[in-house]
Amino acid sequence: MLELCGFRLLLECPLDLSALTVFAPISATDNDANASGLIKAQPWYKTVAALHLWDPSLIGAILVSTPAGMLGLPFLARNPKFSGKIYATEATARIGRLMMEELVAMHAEFVQFYGPDERPGLPEWMKWEELEKLPPALREVVMGEDGEELGSWMPLYSASDIKECMQKVQSVKYAEEVCYNGTIILKAFSSGLEIGSCNWTVNGPRRNITYLSSSIFESSHAMDFDYHSLQGNDLILFSDLSSLNSMAKKGNDFNGNNNHSEPMHKDAPLCDVSAIRTDYDNEDEILRCLGGIDENLEEIDKISFVCSCILDSLQMGGSALIPVGRLGVVLLLLEQLSRLLESSHLKVPIFMISTAAEEMLAFTNAVPEWLCKQRQQKLFSGEALFGHVELMDEKKLLLFPILNSSNLFGTKTLHRMMWQEPCIVFSPHWSLRLGPVVHLLRRWHADPRCVLVVEEGADAEVALLPFKMVAMKVLQCSFLSGIRMQKVRPLLEMLQPKLVLFPEDLRLQCPLKDDSSCSILYYLKNVMLHVPGLRSDFEVCLATDLAFQLKPRKLTERNMAIARLKGQLLLNNGKYLLVASKELLDLSNKQLLHWGSADPVRLLMALQERGIIGSIHWDKNGTDGVFSIQITKPEEAMIETSGTKTVIYCRDKTMAALIYEAFSSVCGGI
């Protein structure tokens, strides 16, 4: 939650879908659920921790950087107290809507089995006596370490909630400037993670902030990380947490165990502080360090390794199940798999079973501005942007909304059955609890020839609890999902911020030191962090009509002119504007405003010209500009000066006016 210029901005609103692993899938038997300790009930969904404690009316706007960051929005948007705006790129909004609709469609199977939850209050499994029965690992997922996360669970929203939520979303184009409430200027720039994923610049009158989400310098499908557009901002809010997950698994390498194979990074551990340089000779060296070619090649190698494992299973007569949640990874896997199948002369069907698959794949060909340069060049040459287009044309990739579609498992009299094994199936959901993946796991989990590909992040052991004993091969893959730790320092050298906010966990695992050009602060969960101001002044634009009313006088001591005015200070499109007041400024009866320090000798002479006799007394400490004039005739009076003010002590108004007149003759004024 970012508070800026009196407004509160919520950054992302995701769901913790990995928490669904505490529920038993719909196809689990009573014995399976009881043996594993899973909750056998219609699942609820875990929102952002402590979000339920916020008053929705206090949230002015929500910034979303990825489609996954949208999944919790309907919970807020359906609250009548929420009247804020939601900002996302056009691509993120479209893909996020499809993901939410798909989640609702998969959840419908639970509703059909258990019946609609019409009972008020909390479900049975959330009662304390039921929570105590859960195994410790599952209880911690439900409640958190101290029970503070129990209030984060909510029943899933409906299709109508999604529709109302999307009406509150303001989609923005790439680098389009939008203004929130006339005060904060927002812009979205590509982060390289996914199609439409972005980093935000949040600029107020006195602060320029970069909200840096998970970013990839060079992508094989999406537009590269546009870090050049983030240069020059005062503050960076660093929220790319992917490096923390990778550091927790450092030292892992490619391995091919029977049940678990985890293709991880093959380079040095991410928290190798010696590899983080603090100085660079020139900008070219920084750009070379930031180049993402090595990461891109490594990601391609990783995809190739996964596809080779899938091919091995297919050649043994097994099938492959791929419930990966990231669209970009799915697109790359499809392309690589099609090439491998063609080179091996293996004719195996590829199924994609998803209610959103058809629209989502079609959409990837409609947003060329969010694609990498290689994909854009294909557009100009008339080629298909992604390999799935040819696969669908050649009937090698078949799309079905649900597993029991009549065309998929048809009868000989009505439809030709399309289902064949061995096969490759892409299907949500990566928590292994919703949708077709549950039924296919039930079918294949005991077959050692089959392979399951899951994305790193969820606990595979807990996710596979309902399917014991698992004989199929499991590939838990850590795909590139953010900035490597070695590239944080050169990135900061390029962006040149004055202040960077890092998560506290990053300090604990990989400390970064302040340098002369950049200060570092660390933020904690549920702890308010007050960020010091970085600017002592700000610019104000002057309205034309007000400018013509000015009558400036040139300062004798300085090369500038100064004028007195009366106006109204407004804030428009993130900039201060000084406009003319409805009432004209009348200076005829007003005293002049003086500036500068008076020369005591000249002031004494000006007083004597008006018949006022006195003597100068200098400050005993010898401070420049600090003196007093003791007046003895015609009446006693005193003039005292300091570094910031001048005070006239006089009982007679006429004499006071003469003294003021003497000051006016030796000081400038307006």
Side-chain angles (χ1 to χ4, degrees):
M1 192 76 74
L2 174 66
E3 186 170 339
L4 181 67
C5 300
F7 302 107
R8 288 187 176 93
L9 308 179
L10 178 64
L11 308 178
E12 316 292 355
C13 192
L15 288 178
D16 182 7
L17 294 175
S18 65
L20 287 174
T21 53
V22 301
F23 295 95
I26 200 72
S27 63
T29 63
D30 290 335
N31 291 335
D32 290 337
N34 294 334
S36 57
L38 299 176
I39 300 171
K40 202 168 188 300
Q42 184 181 143
W44 278 27
Y45 294 79
K46 196 175 185 181
T47 63
V48 177
L51 185 62
H52 63 287
L53 301 177
W54 280 85
D55 184 350
S57 64
L58 299 179
I59 301 175
I62 303 174
L63 304 185
V64 180
S65 63
T66 64
M70 292 184 63
L71 296 183
L73 285 178
F75 289 118
L76 269 179
R78 70 184 180 184
N79 192 310
K81 292 184 178 181
F82 177 74
S83 58
K85 291 186 177 181
I86 303 170
Y87 296 96
T89 66
E90 292 176 328
T92 292
R94 181 80 169 271
I95 297 173
R97 175 182 63 82
L98 293 174
M99 291 177 66
M100 290 188 289
E101 291 173 348
E102 186 172 56
L103 187 63
V104 169
M106 289 188 295
H107 181 82
E109 188 177 19
F110 276 94
V111 177
Q112 185 178 7
F113 183 82
Y114 289 107
D117 192 1
E118 298 177 349
R119 293 172 297 178
L122 299 177
E124 288 292 323
W125 61 268
M126 291 190 72
K127 294 182 178 180
W128 184 251
E129 55 270 18
E130 296 296 326
L131 292 174
E132 287 184 324
K133 298 177 183 178
L134 293 176
L138 299 183
R139 191 186 312 132
E140 184 174 347
V141 173
V142 175
M143 304 178 60
E145 294 182 359
D146 301 318
E148 75 278 3
E149 297 180 9
L150 190 60
S152 300
W153 292 89
M154 296 185 184
L156 188 62
Y157 39 77
S158 64
S160 60
D161 291 331
I162 298 175
K163 185 177 179 179
E164 292 180 7
C165 173
M166 295 307 299
Q167 291 175 352
K168 299 180 180 180
V169 176
Q170 180 176 340
S171 59
V172 300
K173 300 181 183 298
Y174 180 82
E176 177 186 0
E177 186 176 282
V178 294
C179 184
Y180 170 68
N181 211 21
T183 305
I184 301 174
I185 303 297
L186 306 169
K187 286 185 183 180
F189 299 97
S190 175
S191 67
L193 181 67
E194 286 289 346
I195 297 174
S197 297
C198 68
N199 295 309
W200 290 92
T201 59
V202 185
N203 296 338
R206 299 195 183 191
R207 287 184 187 271
N208 292 334
I209 299 174
T210 294
Y211 166 47
L212 189 63
S213 62
S214 296
S215 304
I216 296 177
F217 285 94
E218 185 172 322
S219 173
S220 299
H221 68 288
M223 178 184 287
D224 295 343
F225 176 21
D226 182 5
Y227 52 86
H228 293 287
S229 298
L230 308 179
Q231 287 179 296
N233 282 353
D234 303 325
L235 185 148
I236 292 179
L237 175 56
F238 192 93
S239 63
D240 187 338
L241 307 181
S242 58
S243 56
L244 295 175
N245 297 329
S246 300
M247 279 188 274
K249 292 182 173 289
K250 65 181 179 180
N252 287 311
D253 206 334
F254 290 107
N255 59 75
N257 297 334
N258 230 1
N259 288 332
H260 290 276
S261 180
E262 302 184 8
M264 307 294 291
H265 305 306
K266 294 190 291 182
D267 58 356
L270 290 184
C271 194
D272 184 6
V273 181
S274 62
I276 303 175
R277 291 189 49 185
T278 58
D279 63 309
Y280 295 88
D281 296 334
N282 51 52
E283 185 172 329
D284 291 336
E285 186 176 354
I286 297 176
L287 291 174
R288 182 182 57 80
C289 294
L290 292 179
I293 297 177
D294 54 340
E295 295 177 349
N296 198 13
L297 293 175
E298 181 187 319
E299 194 73 357
I300 294 174
D301 289 343
K302 204 176 300 181
I303 295 288
S304 300
F305 172 78
V306 174
C307 292
S308 65
C309 293
I310 293 174
L311 185 63
D312 292 341
S313 294
L314 295 174
Q315 290 174 336
M316 291 188 296
S319 295
L321 180 57
I322 311 174
V324 175
R326 288 174 53 185
L327 175 60
V329 174
V330 171
L331 295 174
L332 297 179
L333 283 171
L334 276 173
E335 290 184 337
Q336 185 67 19
L337 281 171
S338 64
R339 287 193 287 266
L340 275 179
L341 292 176
E342 186 175 354
S343 62
S344 63
H345 304 288
L346 191 63
K347 294 184 179 180
V348 174
I350 303 176
F351 299 105
M352 187 169 288
I353 305 172
S354 164
T355 57
E358 185 174 358
E359 186 176 349
M360 195 171 292
L361 291 181
F363 181 65
T364 58
N365 292 302
V367 283
E369 68 273 16
W370 283 100
L371 302 182
C372 63
K373 293 180 180 179
Q374 296 85 347
R375 305 287 175 178
Q376 292 179 350
Q377 290 173 355
K378 288 186 175 183
L379 175 68
F380 300 137
S381 62
E383 301 178 46
L385 300 181
F386 292 97
H388 65 262
V389 177
E390 295 179 358
L391 290 175
M392 293 173 65
D393 291 340
E394 297 170 1
K395 305 297 182 183
K396 295 179 180 179
L397 173 61
L398 305 171
L399 309 182
F400 295 94
I402 55 177
L403 189 60
N404 61 347
S405 300
S406 57
N407 289 345
L408 185 58
F409 292 100
T411 62
K412 293 182 179 181
T413 56
L414 296 177
H415 300 283
R416 183 173 66 89
M417 187 173 70
M418 305 295 293
W419 183 262
Q420 297 179 28
E421 294 185 26
C423 61
I424 301 171
V425 179
F426 288 86
S427 172
H429 187 271
W430 48 95
S431 68
L432 308 185
R433 291 296 182 268
L434 301 173
V437 65
V438 175
H439 304 286
L440 293 174
L441 267 179
R442 180 63 60 187
R443 182 184 183 95
W444 292 334
H445 75 280
D447 190 343
R449 300 173 302 170
C450 295
V451 60
L452 170 68
V453 180
V454 292
E455 196 168 0
E456 186 269 333
D459 189 335
E461 295 290 343
V462 177
L464 291 170
L465 276 177
F467 309 101
K468 296 293 184 182
M469 295 290 300
V470 177
M472 68 188 306
K473 189 174 183 179
V474 179
L475 291 176
Q476 188 167 16
C477 306
S478 174
F479 298 108
L480 185 62
S481 59
I483 302 173
R484 296 282 183 85
M485 206 55 229
Q486 292 92 334
K487 297 195 175 184
V488 171
R489 178 61 67 181
L491 176 62
L492 297 182
E493 291 283 340
M494 172 62 70
L495 299 184
Q496 290 294 310
K498 297 176 182 176
L499 181 63
V500 183
L501 305 184
F502 282 112
E504 178 67 21
D505 291 341
L506 196 60
R507 171 162 58 180
L508 299 176
Q509 299 190 33
C510 186
L512 292 170
K513 296 182 180 180
D514 292 9
D515 57 30
S516 58
S517 62
C518 176
S519 298
I520 294 177
L521 293 178
Y522 293 89
Y523 57 89
L524 280 164
K525 180 181 177 181
N526 293 332
V527 176
M528 178 71 76
L529 176 64
H530 295 276
V531 180
L534 301 175
R535 298 183 187 178
S536 58
D537 56 2
F538 58 94
E539 293 183 355
V540 178
C541 298
L542 194 62
T544 305
D545 56 345
L546 182 58
F548 281 118
Q549 298 178 20
L550 301 182
K551 298 178 180 179
R553 289 181 59 180
K554 188 174 182 179
L555 297 180
T556 56
E557 301 90 350
R558 300 180 183 178
N559 186 24
M560 66 171 64
I562 188 169
R564 189 174 182 179
L565 59 86
K566 183 177 183 180
Q568 185 178 4
L569 189 63
L570 303 178
L571 188 58
N572 184 39
N573 287 332
K575 297 180 180 179
Y576 284 111
L577 178 65
L578 196 58
V579 300
S581 176
K582 295 181 180 179
E583 300 178 3
L584 295 177
L585 181 61
D586 183 12
L587 297 177
S588 58
N589 297 321
K590 290 184 177 291
Q591 293 179 336
L592 292 178
L593 297 178
H594 298 285
W595 62 85
S597 58
D599 180 76
V601 177
R602 289 182 59 199
L603 178 57
L604 186 61
M605 292 175 61
L607 291 171
Q608 290 174 354
E609 291 175 358
R610 291 162 177 79
I612 300 175
I613 307 301
S615 59
I616 302 174
H617 298 272
W618 297 98
D619 179 57
K620 294 180 180 180
N621 297 324
T623 306
D624 292 339
V626 178
F627 63 91
S628 64
I629 295 180
Q630 182 73 42
I631 298 174
T632 56
K633 293 182 180 180
E635 288 189 11
E636 289 188 356
M638 176 70 74
I639 301 172
E640 289 184 350
T641 67
S642 67
T644 58
K645 64 182 178 179
T646 298
V647 182
I648 301 172
Y649 300 93
C650 184
R651 297 178 181 177
D652 184 70
K653 292 184 178 180
T654 303
M655 186 174 173
L658 289 174
I659 296 174
Y660 183 81
E661 185 180 315
F663 263 103
S664 300
S665 66
V666 298
C667 295
I670 52 173

